[in-house]
Amino acid sequence: MAGKFEILKDGEHSYRFRLMSADGTVVAESPEFQHLEAVVAGIKAVRENAATGLVVDHSKQRRAA
């Protein structure tokens, strides 16, 4: 089974979404959106960009002191 997006009402006037894995683990959670249409647009953007997004590994880079 594939993962899923869940749309949540966050307070009285805002929304957010979660990306859940097939086993129910939260993979990502969005910031707050003021309109349901914006949440749907955010999900669409994640779907489009995740499929083609580059992976940039910053874990081994040292910061300048």
Side-chain angles (χ1 to χ4, degrees), residues 4-54:
K4 64 182 176 182
F5 287 92
E6 295 181 340
I7 297 175
L8 309 162
K9 184 109 167 139
D10 193 26
E12 216 172 296
H13 302 289
S14 60
Y15 303 87
R16 70 178 60 243
F17 68 84
R18 288 186 193 143
L19 174 56
M20 308 289 290
S21 69
D23 70 0
T25 302
V26 176
V27 176
E29 189 164 299
S30 75
E32 190 175 288
F33 293 92
Q34 296 302 311
H35 304 284
L36 189 56
E37 295 82 7
V39 173
V40 173
I43 291 170
K44 182 178 177 184
V46 169
R47 284 179 162 166
E48 290 174 1
N49 290 294
T52 59
L54 299 175

Side-chain angles (χ1 to χ4, degrees), residues 55-63:
V55 175
V56 179
D57 183 359
H58 292 285
S59 65
K60 295 181 182 178
Q61 293 181 353
R62 293 184 180 201
R63 294 183 182 181

